[in-house]
Amino acid sequence: MKRMCLFLLAMLGSHAVFAADNAVTKGESTPEIVENQLDKSTAKKLNKEQRNAVSIVDAVSQAYNEQDIDLFISYFAEDVSFYMYPNELMFSGKEQLIARYGVMFKNLKCVKSTPIKRIVHGNFVIDQELSESCSSDANVIDKRGEVVASYEVVNGLVKRVLFFKAPSK
């Protein structure tokens, strides 16, 4: 498992880093992000399980960006678990998911997660994501960073999320 995770990180070609404290006004120059991370030829090669996993993760991302807690949690299994690599349990269950993300959605003026790179392997979707948030003004992004997240989709719901943090320097 450790080798697989390291391989996946190497394939993404970048270290995951969490939000930096450099404020940027919305609309200012930001890295160009391609909304659909799977080109058409690759998307056509995905099997049904992979297409389902991708559609669920895309829906999670959309609900997150809309700060819609009810829609957001609808894509997660009741016993969902969130981990920090390699296996540090952050929290589990929908109640804790609501507590953590519900408060964040209420307190932040904006949140946005945009996939930069994506790997799909069976029922796993691994995204390198640009994460942005606004704490006091919806038009001023004051936190921005990259996150690598692995989503395991089982029976049409996200069962497990694994975040990777940047190695210590």
Side-chain angles (χ1 to χ4, degrees), residues 15 20 57 61 69-70 78 131 134 139 143 159 161:
H15 297 286
V57 172
S61 182
I69 191 63
D70 294 324
E78 287 295 325
S131 178
C134 313
N139 294 311
K143 292 204 178 195
K159 174 84 172 165
V161 179

Side-chain angles (χ1 to χ4, degrees), residues 11-169:
M11 290 293 295
L12 287 169
S14 177
H15 297 286
V17 293
F18 287 98
D21 290 327
N22 46 342
V24 175
T25 303
K26 280 187 175 179
E28 282 186 21
S29 178
T30 57
E32 188 174 324
I33 306 293
V34 177
E35 289 296 328
N36 182 356
Q37 293 304 306
L38 296 173
D39 64 44
K40 290 178 184 175
S41 64
T42 302
K44 288 179 183 178
K45 295 176 185 175
L46 296 179
N47 64 36
K48 185 176 180 180
E49 175 187 43
Q50 292 170 319
R51 286 191 308 273
N52 181 55
V54 166
S55 69
I56 295 297
V57 172
D58 285 346
V60 166
S61 182
Q62 182 175 350
Y64 175 90
N65 290 344
E66 293 172 3
Q67 294 176 266
D68 183 336
I69 191 63
D70 294 324
L71 184 59
F72 181 72
I73 66 167
S74 73
Y75 297 108
F76 291 89
E78 287 295 325
D79 59 346
V80 64
S81 298
F82 280 68
Y83 290 87
M84 184 62 67
Y85 177 80
N87 61 358
E88 177 187 333
L89 180 64
M90 296 168 60
F91 64 92
S92 63
K94 273 196 176 176
E95 285 186 25
Q96 290 186 13
L97 177 68
I98 293 166
R100 198 171 268 233
Y101 282 86
V103 168
M104 180 179 68
F105 290 170
K106 285 180 185 175
N107 291 338
L108 293 174
K109 304 299 181 200
C110 76
V111 294
K112 185 171 184 185
S113 179
T114 308
I116 298 170
K117 295 181 184 176
R118 174 171 279 174
I119 296 172
V120 181
H121 184 74
N123 63 328
F124 290 90
V125 177
I126 301 99
D127 279 346
Q128 178 185 7
E129 304 169 352
L130 175 63
S131 178
E132 301 172 313
S133 64
C134 313
S135 58
S136 58
D137 182 340
N139 294 311
V140 178
I141 298 167
D142 51 14
K143 292 204 178 195
R144 171 180 284 142
E146 290 182 14
V147 177
V148 174
S150 169
Y151 303 89
E152 180 182 9
V153 178
V154 177
N155 297 324
L157 297 171
V158 177
K159 174 84 172 165
R160 182 171 187 234
V161 179
L162 176 63
F163 291 109
F164 296 84
K165 61 183 172 182
S168 301
K169 291 183 179 183

